[in-house]
Amino acid sequence: MEILEIIKDAFIFPTNNLEKLAIYIVLTFVVGLLMGGGVILAAFSTMDASYLAIIGAILLILGIILALIISGYQLGIMKSGIDLDDEAPSFDWKNDLINGIKLLVVSIVYFIIPAIIVLIVGLITNVPGNVVNLINEAAVTPANATAMANSTGISLDAVSQSTMAAFGTSIAITALVAFVVFIIFAFIQTMGQARLANTGSLGEALNIPEAAKDLTRIGIGKVIAVILLVVIIVAVINAILGYLYGQVSQLSILSIIVTPYLAFFTQRASGLLYSDIA
């Protein structure tokens, strides 16, 4: 499919599946209630009311389970796009839960790898050492600072500038590498999720070299264009809603509907994108 066709189809898709969207909205609302209730009960629990912590923990666990089911269902929406099916999938609680757990594993793996790369770069550029040096200099007492300044003022200035320069350089390099690596892996992860949706195989989803090759099979330019358009559309809609919320606070209830709608939109777009090579 062409880029604009993908965006148009994905944006209309939720309106053609209002019943499934309504169920999804209710489920996301329930997750919010369970999570919020769990946190509140845990926060207000005391030694004399420890049962509140237990109830809160149960609510949180139920919320997490339901969130995994919702996550697994999103994978089903992506699958419908891959299959070019105009119908959203039916809810299959057991299967959606399993897929949600698989998707969580995929997300963790695709996060850990770039995190490790950034950690290595941080060690190579000596970020920890530079932080320690910065802290040590900042911790110098006023008396010591005065004594050092009286005897070797120029040297003190030089050391301070050198420390700041080393710290700034190491942080800048690490941050730049982090930005690039996480962006690259975000694109690859989208392919990994699509592979999971298409095959149901965790092994296929975690085959990072093949997931990376999927980018070239579809066309890196096309992948970037579709994902960028999706991000822009979601950002613009959220910005408009944020402005409206600021004007009329009661309109914030719209997020209960808009957020699930955008979830359908993004997952459908990813599935349609991957359909070129499925």
Side-chain angles (χ1 to χ4, degrees):
M1 295 180 68
E2 296 298 323
I3 294 173
L4 293 181
E5 288 179 326
I6 291 175
I7 299 299
K8 179 182 178 181
D9 182 294
F11 200 78
I12 295 174
F13 178 75
T15 63
N16 295 331
N17 294 274
L18 292 178
E19 181 180 348
K20 308 289 177 54
L21 178 61
I23 296 174
Y24 186 94
I25 290 172
V26 171
L27 291 178
T28 55
F29 182 71
V30 172
V31 168
L33 290 178
L34 290 173
M35 294 290 196
V39 171
I40 291 173
L41 288 177
F44 283 93
S45 64
T46 62
M47 292 298 293
D48 296 329
S50 58
Y51 64 91
L52 291 179
I54 297 174
I55 297 174
I58 292 174
L59 292 179
L60 285 173
I61 291 172
L62 290 175
I64 291 171
I65 292 173
L66 192 53
L68 288 172
I69 291 174
I70 291 174
S71 181
Y73 182 74
Q74 290 179 353
L75 207 64
I77 296 174
M78 187 182 291
K79 174 65 173 173
S80 73
I82 294 173
D83 295 339
L84 301 179
D85 187 354
D86 292 331
E87 291 290 327
S90 299
F91 284 87
D92 184 339
W93 308 110
K94 179 180 178 181
N95 189 57
D96 288 340
L97 177 59
I98 294 173
N99 283 336
I101 294 172
K102 289 181 180 178
L103 194 56
L104 177 61
V105 172
V106 170
S107 299
I108 291 173
V109 171
Y110 277 86
F111 171 81
I112 286 178
I113 294 176
I116 291 174
I117 294 174
V118 172
L119 177 61
I120 292 172
V121 172
L123 293 175
I124 292 174
T125 58
N126 196 31
V127 169
N130 290 327
V131 169
V132 170
N133 291 337
L134 197 65
I135 293 174
N136 287 338
E137 287 197 9
V140 174
T141 64
N144 288 338
T146 301
M148 293 175 66
N150 289 335
S151 58
T152 56
I154 297 176
S155 175
L156 179 61
D157 289 340
V159 170
S160 298
Q161 292 173 7
S162 174
T163 300
M164 287 301 298
F167 173 74
T169 301
S170 61
I171 288 293
I173 293 174
T174 304
L176 178 61
V177 171
F179 176 78
V180 173
V181 170
F182 273 100
I183 288 294
I184 291 173
F185 269 83
F187 282 103
I188 299 175
Q189 181 181 346
T190 300
M191 297 296 101
Q193 292 175 347
R195 292 172 69 85
L196 178 60
N198 190 42
T199 65
S201 169
L202 192 57
E204 287 292 327
L206 296 178
N207 191 336
I208 296 176
E210 286 301 315
K213 290 179 182 178
D214 285 342
L215 290 172
T216 58
R217 294 183 183 113
I218 296 173
I220 295 178
K222 183 175 182 178
V223 173
I224 293 175
V226 170
I227 293 179
L228 188 60
L229 279 174
V230 168
V231 170
I232 291 174
I233 290 171
V234 171
V236 169
I237 292 175
N238 283 327
I240 293 173
L241 289 177
Y243 173 78
L244 294 176
Y245 299 160
Q247 302 301 309
V248 184
S249 60
Q250 291 83 352
L251 289 178
S252 60
I253 196 172
L254 288 175
S255 62
I256 297 175
I257 299 174
V258 175
T259 300
Y261 191 101
L262 294 177
F264 269 55
F265 165 62
T266 55
Q267 297 302 317
R268 175 71 174 184
S270 296
L272 292 173
L273 180 64
Y274 196 79
S275 67
D276 284 355
I277 61 172

